[in-house]
Amino acid sequence: MNPKFKHLPVSREGLPEIIKDNLFDGTNKLKIAEVGVFYGYYLDKYYPKFEDAVSEFHLIDLWSAENNDDLHSKKDDKLKIAYDRVMSRHGHKDNVFMHKGSSVDMADEFEDASLDYVYIDADHRYEGVLADITAWYPKVKSGGFICGHDTYPSPGHEAGNEQDSFGVARAVEDFFGDEVENIHLTNERYFQSLVYR
């Protein structure tokens, strides 16, 4: 673990409160995006916490085995179930917008500096993470937050995967360079979320 990363006293379930405390003034509602939604289990947890403060929830996922990472390319049936689950639970809400396609391509649909908060949890390979951060970082407003899941996997999980199949931490360090001193990690033992403002 990079010793320059700072640590937060909360898990990723506490991120909505941090985002709201720092960005929501009680009047101007936020625009946020989750990049990599899959079944929407995290969405189920954070949507109620954000509901009063967010005008637009953008959900971005390929939801397809075609052109997906090695792990998900064999899960076409599960990906359809995942999409249908998210659609049935959240797709009918006026402030939820679902974007089905490549996370990098979907970034082009958003203007630069148009989002207050982006949470990345898509392709975990080094190249995929680096591409997602590169594509989505400009979409975040000055003073906004870009965060991402699964920074450091458990040792057993990492050993069971091919080299570079879990490259989140290295991609974060390479993208942010000297700015890693301003990155915080949530307090899970493994699979922490990174938080950068």
Side-chain angles (χ1 to χ4, degrees):
M1 183 175 298
N2 191 320
K4 292 185 177 179
F5 289 165
K6 297 177 177 70
H7 297 272
L8 294 169
V10 299
S11 70
R12 76 173 179 160
E13 278 72 23
L15 290 180
E17 285 78 15
I18 290 173
I19 304 303
K20 285 166 63 174
D21 288 348
N22 283 277
L23 299 181
F24 182 51
D25 61 8
T27 309
N28 298 308
K29 291 195 171 186
L30 309 176
K31 295 180 182 179
I32 70 173
E34 183 182 3
V35 180
V37 181
F38 200 31
Y39 284 105
Y41 295 140
Y42 184 45
L43 173 64
D44 293 344
K45 293 179 181 178
Y46 74 73
Y47 182 89
K49 296 177 182 181
F50 265 137
E51 191 172 9
D52 65 329
V54 172
S55 63
E56 296 179 15
F57 292 83
H58 293 278
L59 310 178
I60 297 96
D61 201 297
L62 192 56
W63 281 304
S64 169
E66 188 176 347
N67 298 318
N68 211 325
D69 62 41
D70 297 336
L71 178 65
H72 293 93
S73 63
K74 302 174 184 78
K75 298 184 176 182
D76 197 38
D77 56 334
K78 291 182 179 178
L79 290 162
K80 182 182 183 332
I81 292 167
Y83 176 79
D84 290 345
R85 181 189 185 278
V86 175
M87 179 61 81
S88 68
R89 292 176 69 89
H90 300 282
H92 63 282
K93 297 172 181 172
D94 290 341
N95 59 355
V96 171
F97 304 89
M98 295 180 65
H99 307 266
K100 189 174 182 181
S102 158
S103 54
V104 172
D105 292 345
M106 292 295 104
D108 291 337
E109 294 187 4
F110 294 83
E111 293 182 10
D112 287 355
S114 62
L115 299 168
D116 298 284
Y117 170 55
V118 171
Y119 188 87
I120 299 173
D121 190 13
D123 185 347
H124 287 41
R125 294 172 296 185
Y126 171 81
E127 294 82 5
V129 177
L130 190 59
D132 280 337
I133 297 172
T134 301
W136 287 94
Y137 183 89
K139 309 306 173 184
V140 180
K141 296 176 183 177
S142 177
F145 286 83
I146 187 165
C147 302
H149 197 215
D150 296 329
T151 307
Y152 290 101
S154 65
H157 185 93
E158 195 169 39
N161 288 282
E162 296 177 13
Q163 186 178 7
D164 281 342
S165 67
F166 218 99
V168 178
R170 188 161 64 93
V172 169
E173 291 173 7
D174 286 354
F175 180 85
F176 286 100
D178 293 340
E179 282 290 299
V180 295
E181 295 180 353
N182 296 315
I183 290 177
H184 291 74
L185 296 178
T186 53
N187 71 354
E188 297 88 352
R189 184 171 182 190
Y190 302 114
F191 305 102
Q192 304 94 335
S193 291
L194 69 98
V195 179
Y196 178 84
R197 187 175 191 189

